């Protein structure tokens, strides 16, 4: 039972990180029907920028409380990522809004490669350690353990998601976003500044990515120029699983994927009598993705028709 | 009369020299090319450059001392090529070296690059000594041109597995590898040796060389309560892994291979690194027979030693020693002398076994104490 | 009058053709003499990538199905060759039996991948194929236990070179009083296959099938409405593309002599995609151009390292890093400014112009 509980905690923490990143994919896809391949790289950029600030602060003022230093990192990382997201939208996606579908997808891959390599040139190829500034407390719960950082991730992720849903449901901007997602043309006829709404979507998604990036690097204690790619891919799978374009779906999908990976890697060896092992852990995400797309393309919660050419 | 004869002899000598089919004549000495291949760009450029410098230092020393082969004065020249640690580039570079007419090669650095390149050297009959490739497959091809002066993964894995059971007293062992050629190869050997020594391998789990989340497999391992966790892989995975072991409250010892025995491991893992153990093939520099002298010479010339330069240095000496014994720089002739190598080098006593592997390669174990890697002990692999 | 003209035209066409053939036949010797033998080896690799790029071009360029897992078929072809022609299973079948088998298995997997994804379009397909490519790589990387099929991450070594009877293509041979080295002979073998693939691509382009693919690419619903069997044609596109990928894989295995899963990663898929995007999707000369340029690019970029060292005394930007950065910039720049590629086909250019306007 303690093993089961532990895997549940592992899965929920991993899943809430996926969910945060998945939100960025799902919002952009909901409005533009574009897989923003570079979203994972924005997460990485957030982690890298924050880590630079945190590293510098930890050296300059070693006495500062960890949470404050982390906050300073976030305060710098969020605007950088927002600016980056806006820049990418402006340069690489907006001019291609009416081009054939393949075109923005290819520029997205290109942007993703550029960001990776720029990060590599700036921060080098080595993994960068996250300074040990956060409380390392560990609690035991029916034989399973959970750390302060894990609790913070769970709480923060939940809070952000609730805020986001409130924003989309209750504010003017949220209404404009929903209108734009339904029909860009009609929304613009109703007086919605579509370009502004799209830009705002990218900005919010990038801000979430920055938070997720900082969380990931704080949790695992390191950052690397390549870290965004696989994370992005898995988060996208989560968004598809939940129903792309659907905010609640992204959260559900993220949590489910985290649990699937956790329980899958933990139990697959015992379940298949050693025939399959944890070496197939990364297969689960892709397998789930393919299965969902083939059998239920609209995802678990998605009601929208996704098959659009 | 004598003056006239001398003039004739000299004229004839000039004529012969001019007609020689080797264009690389320099005064009355002959230039012989030796190749060096390692990544000079990319993430491992610093290691590649280190190998190059080690080989170059040996080459300069040999030239300074003067080398005579077949009655002729020989000057060695090095052709250094960048293989970018990439298998495909490695074969291109190997071809380039062969085209340029090198008579022997020191290289490559990585196993992934060394293995495909070794075929090209073999096809052209060019002897190759790798200072740092550790994969078993390199010498398992049966190419008689392939040698190494570095302990291989099998030797290291055998020592590690045995050490875990007999010296560290681990009864229940969990093994994780990163599914790379290096990690899996090492982990398999550790598993074999641990079982042979009477240990019980209670879990075999896997991750990838990109992962940072090991909670799921570690939780599953924790359920099997091992005394020791061995990880075959590199420091970017080893560091978060040991941190997560601590997070889960695991008490098991941590043992890694040379991929984890790096300063970066301690930087990344922080306080969690304390007590972790890992091995590195060969001797620590200060324990090498000629280590301190080499260090002084090398650092005066090229700066800090990265890792494998002493091995590259020895590899060059071993190669030239074989030429001296054969009294020829013709690969066809001196290749037969290489297996008979018995050389006392900076890194230790170098002899080759039937496959071209280093006979009785040493493995040194280290432990993190007070935030630093400290030497535990050096074990000779039994062969 | 007109017949004389057309005769002249045919004659000049034959002349161009003859000159081209002569040029291709002499190319390895010219390159060998001018740049060194290692460039002949690169030339061999470039031909291999031409085959791969033309294969992917069928799927992406003709049928408009963005496949990001193309490297899986390349890997399958390579592994089939390695299984049947190396000490791994102790089998040493001749290449003329193994290459078609590899291509056929790749084609089968092409259909297996294509069938469930028929309903998906555009970016969804891209993601699913990407997942498929990773799944294949992960399986190749892990199928060394419980039964050793792929030898896992260690890869398969000592793969046989192409042999015809006792004629070993990796060794030097004296023919017509001239010594042909292995890489020269490999060039001619690869050239033969490349020409075959080019020929098939050209015939496909102008055929009913090719036109139907273009129709699907332009508007699938309209294509179906005109009576095109979109399901079969899409499957055929996957199968044809996969066949070429499998063929290239077999050739790669025989050429390299050693394969391991790390040679078949996602970056390889993206690089092949870059080749066709850069050169011009759906346009054969463009795709060939893209494949050759991108294969030779890293080698050419290597010199930037020397320049930097000579100019500044140290290397600021690693040539290997520069390569990836340039790939990324090229993808974005081509899509923004020359969406039909550097050597576009007339039809494709029109199409993008329409879309922009």
């Amino acid at each position: 039972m303690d093993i089961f509980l532990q895997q549940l905690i592992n899965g929920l923490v991993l899943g809430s990180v996926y969910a945060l990143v998945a939100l960025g994919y799902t919002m952009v896809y909901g409005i533009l029907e574009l897989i923003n391949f570079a979203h994972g790289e924005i997460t990485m950029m957030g982690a890298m920028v924050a880590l630079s600030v945190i590293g510098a602060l930890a050296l300059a003022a070693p006495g500062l409380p960890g949470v404050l230093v982390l906050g300073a990192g976030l305060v710098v990382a969020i605007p950088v990522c927002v600016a980056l997201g806006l820049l990418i939208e402006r340069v690489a996606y907006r001019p291609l809004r009416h081009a054939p579908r393949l075109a923005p997808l290819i520029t997205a891959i290109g942007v993703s490669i550029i960001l990776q390599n720029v990060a590599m040139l700036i921060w080098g190829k080595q993994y960068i350690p996250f300074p040990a500034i956060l409380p390392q407390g560990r609690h035991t719960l029916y034989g399973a353990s959970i750390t302060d950082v894990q609790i913070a991730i769970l709480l923060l992720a939940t809070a952000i998601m609730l805020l986001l849903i409130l924003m989309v449901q209750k504010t003017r901007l949220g209404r404009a976003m929903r209108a734009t997602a339904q029909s860009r043309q009609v929304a613009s006829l109703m007086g919605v500044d579509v370009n502004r709404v799209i830009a705002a979507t990218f900005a919010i998604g990038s801000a979430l990515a920055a938070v997720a990036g900082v969380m990931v690097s704080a949790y695992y204690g390191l950052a690397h120029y390549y870290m965004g790619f696989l994370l992005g891919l898995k988060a996208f799978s989560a968004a598809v699983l939940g129903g792309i374009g659907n905010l609640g779906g992204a959260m559900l999908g993220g949590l489910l994927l985290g649990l699937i990976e956790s329980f899958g890697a933990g139990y697959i060896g015992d379940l298949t009598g050693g025939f399959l092992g944890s070496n197939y852990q990364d297969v689960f995400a892709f397998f789930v993705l393919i299965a969902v797309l083939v059998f239920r393309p609209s995802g678990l919660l998605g009601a929208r028709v996704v098959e659009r050419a | 009369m004598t003056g006239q004869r001398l003039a004739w002899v000299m004229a004839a000598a000039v004529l012969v020299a001019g007609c020689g089919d080797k264009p690389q004549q320099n005064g009355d000495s002959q230039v012989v090319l030796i190749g060096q291949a390692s990544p000079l760009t990319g993430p491992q450029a610093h290691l590649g450059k280190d190998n190059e410098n080690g080989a170059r230092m040996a080459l300069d020393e040999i030239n300074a001392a003067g080398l005579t082969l077949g009655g002729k004065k020989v000057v060695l020249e090095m052709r250094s090529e960048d293989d970018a640690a990439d298998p495909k580039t490695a074969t291109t570079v190997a071809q380039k070296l062969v085209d340029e007419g090198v008579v022997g090669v020191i290289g490559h650095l990585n196993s992934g690059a060394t293995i495909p390149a070794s075929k090209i050297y073999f096809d052209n009959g060019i002897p190759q000594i790798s200072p740092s490739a550790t994969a078993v497959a390199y010498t398992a091809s049966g190419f008689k041109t392939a040698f190494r002066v570095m302990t291989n993964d099998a030797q290291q894995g055998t020592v590690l597995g045995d050490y875990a059971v007999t010296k560290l007293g681990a009864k229940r062992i969990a093994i994780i590898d990163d599914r790379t050629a290096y990690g899996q190869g090492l982990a398999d050997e550790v598993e074999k040796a641990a079982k042979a020594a009477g240990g019980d391998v209670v879990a075999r789990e896997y991750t990838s060389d990109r992962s940072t989340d090991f909670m799921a497999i570690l939780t599953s391992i924790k359920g099997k309560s091992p005394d020791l966790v061995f990880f075959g892989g590199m420091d970017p995975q080893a560091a978060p892994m040991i941190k997560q072991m601590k997070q889960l409250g695991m008490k098991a010892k941590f043992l890694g291979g040379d991929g984890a025995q790096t300063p970066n491991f301690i930087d990344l893992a922080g306080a969690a690194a304390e007590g972790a153990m890992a091995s590195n093939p060969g001797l620590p520099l200060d324990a090498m027979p000629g280590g301190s002298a080499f260090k002084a010479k090398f650092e005066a010339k090229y700066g800090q030693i990265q890792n494998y330069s002493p091995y590259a240095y020895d590899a060059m000496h071993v190669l030239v020693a074989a030429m001296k014994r054969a009294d020829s720089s013709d690969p066809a002739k001196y290749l037969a002398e290489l297996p008979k190598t018995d050389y006392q080098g900076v890194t230790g006593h170098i002899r080759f076994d039937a496959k071209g592997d280093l006979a009785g390669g040493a493995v040194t174990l280290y432990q993190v104490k007070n935030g630093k890697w400290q030497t535990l002990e050096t074990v000779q692999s039994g062969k | 009058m007109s017949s004389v003209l057309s005769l002249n035209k045919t004659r000049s066409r034959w002349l161009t053709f003859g000159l081209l053939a002569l040029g291709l036949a002499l190319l390895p010797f010219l390159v060998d003499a001018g740049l060194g033998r290692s460039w002949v080896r690169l030339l061999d690799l470039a031909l291999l990538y031409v085959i791969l790029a033309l294969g992917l071009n069928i799927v992406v360029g003709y049928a408009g199905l963005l496949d990001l897992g193309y490297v899986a078929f390349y890997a399958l072809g390579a592994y089939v060759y390695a299984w049947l022609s190396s000490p791994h299973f102790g089998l040493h079948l001749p290449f003329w039996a193994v290459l078609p088998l590899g291509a056929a298995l790749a084609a089968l997997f092409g259909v297996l991948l294509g069938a469930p994804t028929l309903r998906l379009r555009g970016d969804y397909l891209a993601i699913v194929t990407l997942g498929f490519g990773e799944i294949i790589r992960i399986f190749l990387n892990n199928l060394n236990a419980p039964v050793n099929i792929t030898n896992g991450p260690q890869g398969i070594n000592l793969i046989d070179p192409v042999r015809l009877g006792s004629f070993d293509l990796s060794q030097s041979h004296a023919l017509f009083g001239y010594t042909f080295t292995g890489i020269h002979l490999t060039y001619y073998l690869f050239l033969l296959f490349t020409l075959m693939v080019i020929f098939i691509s050209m015939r496909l382009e102008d055929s009913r099938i090719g036109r139907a693919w273009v129709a699907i690419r332009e508007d699938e619903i309209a294509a179906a409405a005109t009576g095109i069997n979109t399901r079969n044609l899409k499957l055929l596109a996957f199968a044809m593309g996969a066949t070429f990928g499998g063929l290239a894989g077999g050739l790669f295995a025989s050429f390299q002599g050693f394969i391991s899963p790390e040679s078949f990663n996602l970056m390889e898929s993206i690089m092949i995609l870059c080749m066709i995007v850069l050169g011009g999707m759906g346009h054969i000369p463009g795709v060939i151009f893209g494949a050759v340029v991108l294969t030779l690019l890293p080698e050419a970029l290597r010199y930037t390292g020397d320049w930097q060292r000579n100019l500044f005394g140290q290397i600021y930007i690693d040539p290997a890093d520069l390569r990836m950065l340039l790939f990324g910039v090229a993808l974005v720049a081509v899509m923004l400014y020359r969406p039909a590629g550097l050597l576009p086909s007339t039809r494709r250019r029109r199409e993008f112009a329409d879309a922009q306007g």
Side-chain angles (χ1 to χ4, degrees), chain B residues 32-355:
Chain B
V32 165
L33 297 180
I34 296 186
Q36 194 284 136
S38 55
L40 301 176
T41 58
Q44 294 169 326
H46 61 293
L47 294 176
K49 197 78 197 152
D50 190 47
N51 276 15
E52 187 191 72
N53 288 338
R56 175 154 289 141
M57 193 163 98
L59 187 109
D60 290 346
E61 282 175 17
I62 294 163
N63 280 336
L67 178 65
T68 312
L69 295 175
K72 258 193 203 154
K73 213 174 146 4
V74 168
V75 174
L76 299 178
E77 225 180 86
M78 195 160 95
R79 288 278 185 272
S80 190
E81 291 289 347
D82 172 21
D83 68 16
D86 169 59
K88 260 196 306 251
T89 313
T91 56
T92 311
V93 160
Q95 186 69 48
K96 209 183 230 166
L97 289 173
V98 169
D99 293 349
E100 284 175 327
V102 301
V103 300
V105 173
I106 308 299
H108 300 208
L109 179 96
N110 322 74
S111 299
T114 308
I115 294 169
S118 67
K119 181 172 186 299
I120 292 170
Y121 300 127
F122 174 71
D123 285 344
N124 292 282
I126 308 290
Q128 170 195 16
I129 304 181
S130 172
S132 47
T134 57
V136 178
Y138 166 47
T139 48
S141 315
F143 295 155
K144 61 183 194 313
T145 47
F147 298 89
R148 69 175 128 213
V149 291
M150 171 60 72
T151 316
N152 72 22
D153 289 344
Q155 292 167 330
Q156 192 184 181
T158 310
V159 168
L160 277 169
D162 192 63
Y163 191 85
V165 177
T166 53
K167 291 277 178 58
L168 300 175
K171 299 266 179 315
R172 301 172 61 81
I173 298 171
I175 296 176
I176 307 174
D177 78 64
D178 67 355
R179 300 318 286 171
T180 62
Y182 161 74
Q184 184 243 348
L186 192 62
D188 279 0
E189 294 298 333
V190 169
E191 180 170 3
K192 251 189 271 172
K195 280 179 180 160
D200 191 6
V201 175
V202 293
R204 181 77 202 254
E205 295 290 348
Y206 311 89
T207 181
S208 82
D209 57 344
R210 303 246 165 91
S211 304
T212 43
D213 189 297
F214 312 101
M215 296 296 272
I217 55 173
L218 287 175
T219 303
S220 154
I221 285 175
K222 188 187 175 192
K224 290 167 181 149
S225 52
D227 323 315
L228 182 137
V229 174
F230 174 81
F231 174 59
M234 308 302 289
D235 52 21
Q237 279 70 44
M241 188 178 288
I242 196 165
K243 271 180 135 171
Q244 288 165 29
M245 280 171 68
K246 298 274 151 76
Q247 266 181 36
L248 289 170
M250 288 171 72
K251 296 277 185 301
K253 294 188 178 92
F254 180 89
L255 181 65
D258 51 324
Q261 204 269 311
T262 65
N264 210 29
F265 170 76
I266 300 176
D267 289 347
L268 290 174
E274 205 59 25
M277 287 168 284
S279 67
N280 218 331
L283 297 161
L285 192 64
D286 48 353
M288 284 177 188
S292 50
F294 176 84
K295 191 175 171 201
K297 269 193 298 183
F298 188 91
E299 289 187 345
K301 236 176 155 174
Y302 304 107
Q304 209 197 343
I305 294 173
Q306 296 296 332
N307 204 345
Y308 305 117
S309 50
Y311 297 92
Y313 175 87
D314 274 0
M316 181 65 85
H317 275 295
V318 163
L319 198 74
V320 175
M323 290 181 195
K324 279 188 193 156
R325 290 197 300 278
D327 201 22
S328 166
S329 63
D330 181 358
K333 292 191 181 128
Y334 84 83
L335 177 57
E337 290 293 330
L338 270 174
K340 300 175 203 159
T341 292
D342 192 344
Y343 180 80
Q344 192 60 49
V346 168
T347 61
H349 194 183
I350 297 174
R351 277 167 299 131
F352 295 119
D353 66 11
K355 282 183 181 165

Side-chain angles (χ1 to χ4, degrees), chain C residues 45 157 163 241 248 313:
Chain C
L45 272 177
N157 201 359
R163 262 194 217 106

